[in-house]
């Protein structure tokens, strides 16, 4: 999609890095099979494929030899015969150089003793989590310092596993999507669920939002606990009447100032293995969640960038939230300083905090990272 970029990271004062550190969705897991797929994120081209061991591999897209794209050939002979993926390695469609899952050149078919160890392309840490392929993006090139966010409910036998809503690309910087975490006063006009209480908790690389109010769409009180782990993956536990559901929203920078987004909802069957009707109910919940989220999405799609927010006395804590976001655009050492400055619970002026709404073990399955 052609993007007219309206604002980039530096315009928002983010930096020094152009793109953030963290785990980011790059594909739906079922879409990545043996045939290599070309993707672009973080202003860079990559290939994704599933090796014969079932491992998903992510490499830089261009071959070192003469810069052919490793995934953008359907007609080369080795692609047509399926010989381009060998074990967990991939061969270039042009002259057949072979790259391992670690990005190293393993073989040049017509050269022996050429000192292959000198040659490698980028290879990126990948996890398959909750039906998604997520990559670790790190502007400093360091290994992950945490595992991706995760819902333990995903592993329950009653879980109705989602298929993602693919929302496509929008020409908006991710920070405007993250603003939602602090945005108390859009909940009425945009979502028909005026807020009755709200607090943000800043906890290192996580920001948590606890809020609730009467939602017109369901004619019920809605209680939500929502958390970002890094800037790419939002998880939210939500309850209205007897329904508990988990919402998932992912956003990944495609280029500076443009973002790709996905959405899904997880529900649990009342008992045992999900039946057809449990699956239907889960799909309805996902459609309901999407209906609500679509209202945000439409605003984002059509707005001008809010380079600076006019934060009124009773507005949400946008400035603090944006400061929290910025930690992922700076080296880890500096990020630790931002975290120690921000860590704690911050209510919104004019609203009660969530202290009356922490009864029970509602949050016991929140804020988890995936098992290694
Ligand atoms: S361009 Fe890839 S092997 Fe020649
Ligand atoms: Fe919203």
């Amino acid at each position: 999609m052609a993007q007219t970029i309206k604002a980039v990271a530096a315009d928002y004062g983010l930096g020094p890095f152009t793109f953030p550190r963290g785990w980011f969705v790059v594909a739906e897991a079922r879409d990545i099979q043996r045939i290599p797929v070309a993707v672009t994120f973080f202003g860079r081209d990559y290939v994704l494929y599933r090796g014969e061991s079932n491992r998903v591999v992510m490499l830089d897209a261009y071959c070192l030899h003469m810069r052919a794209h490793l995934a953008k050939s359907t007609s080369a002979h080795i692609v047509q015969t399926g010989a381009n993926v060998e074990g967990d390695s991939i061969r270039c469609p042009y002259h057949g150089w072979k790259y391992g899952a670690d990005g190293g050149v393993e073989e040049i078919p017509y050269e022996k003793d050429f000192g292959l160890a000198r040659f490698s392309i980028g290879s990126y840490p990948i996890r398959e989590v909750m039906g998604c392929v997520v990559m670790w993006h790190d502007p400093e090139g360091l290994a992950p310092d945490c595992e991706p966010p995760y819902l333990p409910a995903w592993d329950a036998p009653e879980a109705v596993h989602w298929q993602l809503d693919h929302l496509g690309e929008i020409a908006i910087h991710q920070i405007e999507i993250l603003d939602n975490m602090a945005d108390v006063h859009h909940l009425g006009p945009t979502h028909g669920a005026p807020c009755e209480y709200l607090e943000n908790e800043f906890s290192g690389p996580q920001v948590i939002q606890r809020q609730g109010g009467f939602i017109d769409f369901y004619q019920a009180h809605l209680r939500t606990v929502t958390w970002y782990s890094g800037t790419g993956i939002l998880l939210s536990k939500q309850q209205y009447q007897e329904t508990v559901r988990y919402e998932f929203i992912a956003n990944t920078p495609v280029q500076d100032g443009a973002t790709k987004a996905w959405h899904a909802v997880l529900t649990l069957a009342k008992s045992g293995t999900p039946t057809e009707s449990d699956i239907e109910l889960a799909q309805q919940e996902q459609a309901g969640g999407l209906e609500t989220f679509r209202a945000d999405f439409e605003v984002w799609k059509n707005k001008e960038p809010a380079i600076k927010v006019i934060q009124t006395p009773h507005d949400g804590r946008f400035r603090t939230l944006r400061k929290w976001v910025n930690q992922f655009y700076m080296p880890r050492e500096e990020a630790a300083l931002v975290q120690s400055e921000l860590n704690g619970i911050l209510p919104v002026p004019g609203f009660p905090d969530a202290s009356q709404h922490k009864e029970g073990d509602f949050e016991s399955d929140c804020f988890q990272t995936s098992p290694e």
Side-chain angles (χ1 to χ4, degrees):
M1 157 183 166
Q3 300 276 328
T4 307
I5 299 297
K6 299 174 193 165
V8 298
D11 294 326
Y12 295 93
L14 297 167
F17 303 137
T18 306
F19 296 109
R21 168 179 50 255
W23 290 106
F24 291 90
V25 171
V26 289
E28 185 159 10
R30 67 195 181 110
D31 292 340
I32 303 304
Q33 300 302 336
R34 196 160 182 274
I35 295 172
V37 171
V39 295
T40 301
F41 292 104
F42 307 103
R44 201 175 172 98
D45 296 328
Y46 305 96
V47 294
L48 276 170
Y49 61 94
R50 193 176 290 277
E52 285 169 17
S53 74
N54 204 39
R55 165 185 179 184
V56 174
V57 179
M58 186 171 196
L59 301 176
D60 282 334
Y62 298 105
C63 177
L64 289 172
H65 179 219
M66 286 170 67
R67 312 303 292 167
H69 194 297
L70 297 177
K72 286 193 175 175
S73 165
T74 53
S75 49
H77 183 262
I78 63 166
V79 175
Q80 293 215 325
T81 55
N84 58 332
V85 173
E86 224 181 280
D88 288 347
S89 305
I90 184 171
R91 283 192 188 272
C92 176
Y94 212 7
H95 312 93
W97 286 30
K98 183 179 167 194
Y99 294 88
D102 64 355
V105 176
E106 290 178 332
E107 189 198 345
I108 298 173
Y110 48 86
E111 294 292 354
K112 308 292 165 219
D113 310 320
F114 194 60
L116 298 182
R118 289 175 294 163
F119 299 111
S120 68
I121 54 175
S123 158
Y124 301 88
I126 285 289
R127 305 281 189 273
E128 276 190 68
V129 187
M130 301 182 294
C132 304
V133 175
V134 297
M135 81 173 279
W136 176 255
H137 179 263
D138 197 312
E140 295 172 279
L142 300 174
D145 57 6
C146 60
E147 287 301 304
Y150 189 65
L151 293 168
W154 182 266
D155 290 328
E158 299 86 9
V160 184
H161 286 169
W162 58 48
Q163 290 187 5
L164 302 182
D165 299 314
H166 291 244
L167 303 179
E169 288 180 37
I170 45 173
I172 192 170
H173 192 278
Q174 67 162 186
I175 197 164
E176 304 233 11
I177 296 174
L178 274 290
D179 280 341
N180 237 238
M181 288 297 279
D183 195 349
V184 61
H185 289 293
H186 90 295
L187 293 166
T190 306
H191 300 303
C195 181
E196 290 166 12
Y197 67 93
L198 185 143
E199 71 182 23
N200 285 129
E201 180 175 349
F202 297 91
S203 177
Q206 288 191 326
V207 60
I208 300 159
Q209 179 206 66
R210 299 181 180 90
Q211 72 89 31
F214 189 85
I215 179 164
D216 195 49
F217 189 80
Y218 293 115
Q219 285 295 299
H221 262 90
L222 177 71
R223 170 194 193 185
T224 73
V225 176
T226 303
W227 64 102
Y228 265 98
S229 302
T231 61
I233 298 175
L234 169 151
L235 294 170
S236 180
K237 185 174 183 182
Q238 309 172 348
Q239 180 179 30
Y240 65 94
Q241 291 161 339
E242 298 302 300
T243 301
V244 172
R245 69 183 190 190
Y246 302 85
E247 190 162 34
F248 165 92
I249 295 171
N251 84 84
T252 306
V254 175
Q255 50 177 312
D256 195 4
T259 308
K260 198 171 214 175
W262 299 263
H263 169 269
V265 168
L266 179 77
T267 53
L268 300 178
K270 289 261 177 299
S271 65
T273 312
T275 61
E276 283 299 313
S277 84
D278 291 320
I279 294 169
E280 208 172 290
L281 278 174
Q283 287 167 348
Q284 278 171 23
E285 283 302 325
Q286 180 153 328
L290 182 60
E291 198 54 37
T292 309
F293 181 50
R294 207 189 289 283
D296 282 318
F297 211 71
E298 196 179 7
V299 170
W300 295 334
K301 215 170 188 167
N302 294 295
K303 75 193 293 298
E304 284 204 323
I307 300 294
K308 283 203 166 52
V309 178
I310 301 173
Q311 185 174 316
T312 68
H314 293 89
D315 244 331
R317 304 290 197 142
F318 297 108
R319 273 185 225 125
T320 314
L321 194 274
R322 287 186 170 198
K323 204 181 256 186
W324 176 87
V325 170
N326 196 30
Q327 67 172 292
F328 302 99
Y329 288 75
M330 52 177 63
R332 282 183 195 185
E333 260 177 41
E334 290 171 43
L337 299 175
V338 174
Q339 290 179 0
S340 55
E341 184 196 337
L342 298 184
N343 282 347
I345 292 180
L346 197 61
V348 177
F351 285 87
D353 63 20
S355 51
Q356 302 302 309
H357 303 272
K358 289 179 179 166
E359 74 282 358
D361 60 356
F362 190 69
E363 295 187 9
S364 63
D365 63 345
C366 299
F367 326 131
Q368 313 268 335
T369 53
S370 72
E372 275 187 69

